Amino acid sequence: PAGGTNYTITARSQLMSVPYALHAKNAKTYKVGDFAQGGIVFMVDESGQHGLVCTKTDQISEIKWNAGTNGNTRAYGDGLFAGEMNTAIIIAAHVAIGDNGNTYAARLCSGLKITEGGKTYGDWYLPSNTEIMGMYENKAIINKTATANGGSAFGSIFYWSSTEVDLSF
C-alpha cells in the first residue's frame, strides 16, 4: 500500500467463491409461526432470512403506556422496525417529561430478557401499529406455536403500541 504504483505481481489465482455468498447459501430461512430467536416469527421478508419475532407470552396485562406523566413523546414512527426507534424515543421523552420510576410498556419491553435453549435474547421493543397488526393477522399461527412451546395465546385485551396517536387516549 505504501508503494503507490511501484509494485510487482508475484502470483495470481482464480477466486473460487466469495465468503458472503458461501454464507448466504447456508443461511437459515424462517416462516411465520416458527419458534426462533426466543419467540415466534410473525413476519418475514421475501428471502425468509429476516423478519420479526414476538414473545410467546403476554408480559403484563395491566401496565401503563407512560411513566406517570402524560406528555407528547413524538414517537410517531409506524411501519416495520419502527417500534425499535419509537421505544427509544418514548423512554428518552419520559425521562424529560417526568418518570415516576414505575415500569411502563416501553421500559418493560426494552429491558426484557428471554432465555430459550440456553441463549438469552434481549433485543425486544414495544411494536409499532403496523407490527401489532402483523401479529394480529397471524394470531392463529402465533397462538398455536406459543401454546406448543409453553406460552399462551393472545388475550382478549387491548395491546399497547409504540406509535403515539393521541395524547388524550
Side-chain angles (χ1 to χ4, degrees):
T5 58
N6 184 17
Y7 63 89
T8 304
I9 297 175
T10 57
R12 66 181 191 172
S13 63
Q14 181 181 1
L15 185 61
M16 299 304 289
S17 66
V18 178
Y20 182 77
L22 279 178
H23 171 75
K25 182 174 93 175
N26 298 320
K28 177 150 176 57
T29 57
Y30 299 93
K31 65 183 182 321
V32 171
D34 283 350
F35 191 66
Q37 307 296 315
I40 303 157
V41 176
F42 69 91
M43 283 187 170
V44 291
D45 69 3
E46 306 79 40
S47 74
Q49 296 175 3
H50 307 282
L52 293 170
V53 173
C54 63
T55 62
K56 66 181 183 180
T57 58
D58 286 344
Q59 296 310 299
I60 296 177
S61 61
E62 297 292 325
I63 192 162
K64 291 184 168 254
W65 190 87
N66 65 38
T69 304
N70 285 328
N72 188 338
T73 66
R74 301 195 186 282
Y76 301 133
D78 196 12
L80 295 179
F81 307 104
E84 185 174 17
M85 180 58 79
N86 283 348
T87 299
I89 291 168
I90 292 165
I91 292 169
H94 279 108
V95 168
I97 62 177
D99 186 337
N100 63 8
N102 293 333
T103 301
Y104 55 97
R107 182 185 290 157
L108 173 78
C109 293
S110 177
L112 186 63
K113 304 273 188 260
I114 294 179
T115 302
E116 288 288 343
K119 185 170 181 183
T120 300
Y121 300 90
D123 56 346
W124 302 100
Y125 58 85
L126 187 62
S128 70
N129 281 342
T130 297
E131 292 163 336
I132 288 270
M133 289 307 299
M135 286 180 233
Y136 180 76
E137 290 167 3
N138 293 304
K139 183 173 138 178
I141 298 168
I142 293 168
N143 287 347
K144 183 178 179 181
T145 304
T147 55
N149 288 281
S152 58
F154 277 97
S156 297
I157 58 174
F158 289 100
Y159 288 87
W160 288 122
S161 159
S162 65
T163 306
E164 185 174 321
V165 178
D166 181 62
L167 177 64
S168 63
F169 182 66

